[in-house]
Every structure is written in C-alpha cells, then in structure tokens.
Amino acid sequence: MAAVAQTSNFGKIFWPVLAWVIALIFFFPIFWMVFTSFKTDADAVKPEYLFIFKPTLDNYLNMTENYDYWRFAINSAITATFATALALVVGIPAAYAMAFNPSRHTKDILVWMLSTKMLPAAAVLYPMTFLTKNFLNIYDTHFLIIVVLCLINLPIVIWMLFTYFKEIPKEIIEAGKMDGVSTWGEIKDILIPLAWGGVASTALLCFIFCWNEAYWTVRLTTTEAATLSKLIEGNRAPEGLFFGRLSAVSTAAVGPIVVLGWFCQKQLVRGLTFGAVK
C-alpha cells in the first residue's frame, strides 16, 4: 500500500511538472519573438543586449506608419474569412453525402483527397504563376488567393466534417426524409445544429490555416492582395534580416490569431472532442 501511495504521489508531481516544461518549451519562441520586438535592429543581434536593453516602440510605430500594416492585415482577414466560408460551403455538402450516402468508393475518395496534401507546392508553382498571369489575368487578386486557400484546406475540412457527421445517428436524417424535408433542409435544419461544435471548430482551424499560409500568399501576390505573410517576408534585405522589425511584424501577425483562439477555446475544445463521449 505504501509503494502504491508513493507512486501515486510521484505521478501527481511528475506529470504536472512535465506538462509545464513542455508548455514552456513551446511558448519560448513566442516569448522571444515578442521580447525581441521591443529591441532595435542593432540591439537584437548583439549578445551583450540579450536581456539588458532599452525597450522601444519604434518597430511598431515604423510598422504602422511606413509599412502600412493595416492594409496587409485587412487583406489577410478578407482572404482567410472568405476562403473559410467557401471551404465550408463546398465541404459541408460533400461530407454530408459521404457520411449519410456512402458508396463503395467513399473511402478511396477520402484517401485521395488527403493525398493531395502530400503534393509539393513547389511542383505546381510555375504552372500556377504562368496561368494566373498570362491567361486568367487574376494574379495578385483576392479572388485567386481565396480560391487557392480554399482548395488547400478543403481536404482537411471535408475529413473533419465527415468525422463529426458520422457521429450523428443516421436515423435522425432518415426521419427528416420521411417528414418530407429536402436535402438542403436536412443540412440546414438538422445536421448543422446537431454538429455545430464540429462545424465551428473546423471553421476556426481552417481560418487559422488560411491566416498562417505563407508559401502561396507570398508567391501569388505583389501589392494588391498581399497579406501579412508578404509583409513579414519583406523585412529582409541583402544586408540580412531586420530582427527587431521582423519580430514586431510577426507579433502583430500572430496576435489576432492568439486572441481569436483564446476567446474561442471553449468552442474549439468542444468541437475537437465532439462524439468522444457517448
């Protein structure tokens, strides 16, 4: 009994400490980014000013006054919001069909959609750039970025929604059909309210992925539809990286997502654990 009690007490101390250590390891890069954002570019690269330095807001003032931060932030919000909405408009009916009207090819289709995430983005960069610039004439437009971000995240959206929808008893949908409810009515009035937690968490994750996307937003934009990723990428020169300004811009880019995740954490956890407890 004493050995069991000692093991139990050890576990009560060890696992919380381990969790805190892991959390601090993950949090440290964010802390260092925010910490560095209050240094000048010169202080940020000097070891002697690692912790002792004179804080300054010049990086943030320079970002808003000279780099037009708000234009890039608005572009990020527009593209992420509309790309997420478009992904849900396409993904919800697709997941509904696969969950409640499956065929013998449904699993193959799901695996194929997920396999598209394994395609190297660099492999299709040149065709995408060539077509959008010379034929479609939509290079550096919100429309192009919205469509690209939607297609990138659509496999994940469909997979997540399919998983949530499968947890809903099929008899509920069949009862709606017997009452004469249309397919759109089943989705709108029955399915989405029942799986609202899953839909909300899927939308939140899709929005985060769209907001954080850097490869395509940097390479398919120049000025008009440039997002915060483009602004971050612009803080470099032949002389090297401007670490102070780069940290300030990165902090400002990460901030809205951190705030959104903080306020939506309850909904996110509810969606991610949807169907876990019967």
Side-chain angles (χ1 to χ4, degrees):
M1 291 295 293
V4 174
Q6 289 179 357
T7 303
S8 178
N9 291 332
F10 173 79
K12 290 180 179 179
I13 298 174
F14 174 76
W15 293 115
V17 171
L18 179 62
W20 273 103
V21 170
I22 295 175
L24 289 174
I25 291 174
F26 277 95
F27 176 73
F28 181 77
I30 300 175
F31 162 77
W32 196 254
M33 176 183 66
V34 177
F35 191 67
T36 306
S37 70
F38 294 101
K39 298 181 180 181
T40 63
D41 290 323
D43 291 346
V45 296
K46 293 180 179 178
E48 59 268 26
Y49 294 114
L50 194 63
F51 293 104
I52 301 175
F53 63 94
K54 184 179 180 180
T56 178
L57 294 175
D58 289 346
N59 293 322
Y60 290 97
L61 296 175
N62 182 62
M63 176 186 66
T64 55
E65 293 175 0
N66 300 328
Y67 284 89
D68 199 7
Y69 165 80
W70 294 110
R71 180 173 66 85
F72 291 95
I74 290 172
N75 284 341
S76 290
I78 290 174
T79 53
T81 300
F82 282 94
T84 300
L86 182 59
L88 291 177
V89 168
V90 177
I92 289 176
Y96 163 83
M98 293 180 181
F100 298 105
N101 298 289
S103 68
R104 60 191 182 94
H105 299 296
T106 296
K107 291 185 178 179
D108 296 332
I109 294 172
L110 286 169
V111 173
W112 171 79
M113 285 191 299
L114 195 60
S115 69
T116 61
K117 297 291 292 180
M118 305 173 191
L119 176 70
V124 294
L125 175 60
Y126 176 75
M128 284 283 292
T129 306
F130 182 80
L131 288 173
T132 54
K133 273 188 175 181
N134 300 290
F135 288 95
L136 301 177
N137 196 28
I138 57 174
Y139 184 83
D140 192 24
T141 62
H142 291 97
F143 174 78
L144 172 62
I145 300 302
I146 289 169
V147 171
V148 169
L149 293 180
C150 170
L151 294 177
I152 290 173
N153 293 290
L154 192 58
I156 301 298
V157 169
I158 294 177
W159 260 91
M160 290 185 66
L161 292 174
F162 172 79
T163 303
Y164 297 138
F165 292 170
K166 286 289 288 183
E167 297 295 332
I168 297 175
K170 193 174 182 179
E171 291 76 11
I172 298 178
I173 303 298
E174 292 176 348
K177 290 180 179 179
M178 294 179 63
D179 290 338
V181 179
S182 63
T183 301
W184 168 242
E186 293 176 6
I187 295 175
K188 179 174 67 72
D189 299 325
I190 301 176
L191 189 63
I192 292 179
L194 289 175
W196 177 245
V199 174
S201 64
T202 301
L204 178 60
L205 289 177
C206 183
F207 183 88
I208 293 172
F209 291 153
C210 292
W211 182 280
N212 292 336
E213 176 60 35
Y215 185 85
W216 289 110
T217 54
V218 168
R219 285 157 180 80
L220 295 180
T221 62
T222 52
T223 56
E224 295 299 323
T227 62
L228 287 169
S229 299
K230 188 74 172 181
L231 178 60
I232 294 172
E233 192 266 345
N235 279 273
R236 64 179 182 178
E239 296 83 8
L241 295 174
F242 300 109
F243 286 102
R245 280 176 281 178
L246 181 62
S247 298
V249 173
S250 300
T251 300
V254 170
I257 288 298
V258 173
V259 173
L260 178 65
W262 177 265
F263 283 104
C264 298
Q265 59 180 320
K266 182 178 180 181
Q267 190 67 41
L268 179 60
V269 172
R270 178 188 173 192
L272 293 176
T273 56
F274 182 79
V277 181
K278 295 293 184 180

